[in-house]
Amino acid sequence: MSGEYQRRQSTRLNPPPPSPQRIASSTTTNGRRQRARGSQRHSKAQRVDEICQFMRKKDITLREFIHVYVTTQGSGGYGERPTTRAKRLAEAIYGQPEVLDALQGHPASGTAGIVTVKALRKEMKALEAAGDMFSAYQVDRRQEKTSQAGIGQEGQPGDGQKLEDYECILGDMQFGQMHEEVNVRAPMLCGLLNGLMAPKMERKDRAPRDPSKFNHRIAIITSILCYSRASEGSNKFPRVFGAFLHSNGVKRRVLDLFHQFGLCEGYKGVHKHLETVAEQAKASLVSLSIDVD
């Protein structure tokens, strides 16, 4: 009994070498496992191709799949409600800039393509930071000197004050230049507005409409949007346009009405601005006279 026990212990501690058949079987098993793991690590493109092939076999188009996916209740329990599916689909599309870029380049997506509020606000921020007519107003010496005449008047412009005076204050307020700025710095917004304002139908019995007129409207609409988004950071055009209207005798009620539309600053804001410009101009003249003396 003791001899049998010793043999068992010896076999357990010193197992015999594996047979060639067992080695071959083990190698084959390991190879199968590696091939299985390799098949699981197919590239995403390969897996997408397999899914497309499966959909073709099932005779279902991508359009039908998406429609059914977001409008029907799934059988998987939580997370398979139509609203949840629609949310996932929206996040999958709008949460990937590469997908949006690919969709925007397709003719079926429309003139402006697919736009998002986040992307539009980013473009409006770029307009604000550019320092042009959609940015914050800053008084310069040229504007100070031009603003001296007739600023203290609350109603009608002063004697000898001309339209050209405040055109100098407005400076680069040329609607064509403003439209070009929108087109360069906010192409998505510009394309969206162009697409919305496209004629309902093309009439062959009439000449093509003047695009510059609608370019001016794009500039004004963009100014209203930027001013509504940042009343201090994008107030250059509303402020100088309000000063322009005030200098041409536009009444207080009209200024306040235009302010509600977002076209310009209200009467109080315009009047306070003109008083500030006058004070700065006087201080500049005093400093200049001291330097001359």
Side-chain angles (χ1 to χ4, degrees):
M1 186 70 179
S2 60
E4 183 67 22
Y5 176 76
Q6 290 177 356
R7 282 195 301 273
R8 289 179 180 177
Q9 287 292 97
S10 177
T11 303
R12 184 178 300 174
L13 295 176
N14 302 293
S19 63
Q21 293 82 0
R22 182 175 297 180
I23 294 176
S25 176
S26 176
T27 303
T28 304
T29 303
N30 291 335
R32 290 175 179 174
R33 289 176 179 174
Q34 292 176 358
R35 287 194 297 272
R37 291 171 184 172
S39 63
Q40 293 175 358
R41 290 195 295 265
H42 279 177
S43 67
K44 293 181 180 179
Q46 290 175 330
R47 282 182 280 176
V48 169
D49 289 339
E50 292 174 358
I51 293 173
C52 292
Q53 293 175 6
F54 177 79
M55 292 177 64
R56 283 195 293 268
K57 290 180 181 179
K58 295 297 183 180
D59 194 23
I60 181 172
T61 64
L62 181 61
R63 180 189 183 98
E64 294 170 342
F65 174 82
I66 294 176
H67 179 268
V68 174
Y69 179 76
V70 300
T71 57
T72 60
Q73 176 76 29
S75 59
Y78 176 75
E80 295 297 331
R81 294 175 297 176
T83 53
T84 306
R85 288 179 165 188
K87 179 181 178 181
R88 288 177 178 174
L89 181 61
E91 291 174 348
I93 294 176
Y94 295 104
Q96 302 184 85
E98 299 85 356
V99 176
L100 290 176
D101 292 340
L103 293 176
Q104 287 172 2
H106 196 277
S109 61
T111 304
I114 296 179
V115 297
T116 62
V117 174
K118 183 177 180 180
L120 292 176
R121 290 180 66 86
K122 184 178 179 180
E123 290 186 345
M124 293 165 66
K125 184 177 180 180
L127 289 172
E128 176 187 352
D132 294 323
M133 291 304 293
F134 301 100
S135 61
Y137 180 87
Q138 294 180 353
V139 178
D140 56 25
R141 290 185 177 275
R142 176 174 59 85
Q143 292 172 343
E144 291 173 0
K145 293 178 181 178
T146 315
S147 305
Q148 296 177 39
I151 289 178
Q153 304 287 340
E154 289 192 11
Q156 299 293 332
D159 296 335
Q161 188 175 2
K162 298 180 180 180
L163 179 65
E164 288 77 12
D165 295 333
Y166 272 97
E167 285 184 349
C168 292
I169 295 178
L170 296 174
D172 57 352
M173 194 210 74
Q174 301 297 325
F175 291 109
Q177 296 178 4
M178 291 176 64
H179 172 265
E180 183 62 24
E181 184 183 351
V182 177
N183 189 35
V184 172
R185 302 186 185 278
M188 189 178 299
L189 176 60
C190 188
L192 175 63
L193 295 177
N194 268 320
L196 292 174
M197 292 191 298
K200 183 173 62 174
M201 59 181 298
E202 296 286 350
R203 297 191 57 175
K204 297 182 180 180
D205 58 336
R206 293 184 181 179
R209 64 183 187 179
D210 182 11
S212 62
K213 178 172 62 175
F214 296 91
N215 293 346
H216 298 169
R217 295 177 185 180
I218 288 177
I220 292 296
I221 293 172
T222 302
S223 174
I224 293 173
L225 293 174
C226 291
Y227 183 50
S228 301
R229 171 186 168 273
S231 59
E232 295 294 331
S234 298
N235 66 344
K236 185 174 182 179
F237 176 80
R239 177 163 293 181
V240 296
F241 188 52
F244 172 80
L245 295 175
H246 181 273
S247 68
N248 283 273
V250 175
K251 299 298 183 181
R252 175 172 185 167
R253 182 178 301 177
V254 179
L255 281 175
D256 289 339
L257 178 62
F258 284 175
H259 174 61
Q260 293 181 17
F261 295 157
L263 288 169
C264 65
E265 287 190 336
Y267 175 82
K268 291 183 179 180
V270 170
H271 195 262
K272 181 179 179 181
H273 157 67
L274 295 178
E275 287 181 339
T276 302
V277 172
E279 293 174 0
Q280 292 177 346
K282 291 178 182 178
S284 178
L285 290 175
V286 171
S287 175
L288 181 62
S289 63
I290 292 176
D291 292 341
V292 171
D293 294 342

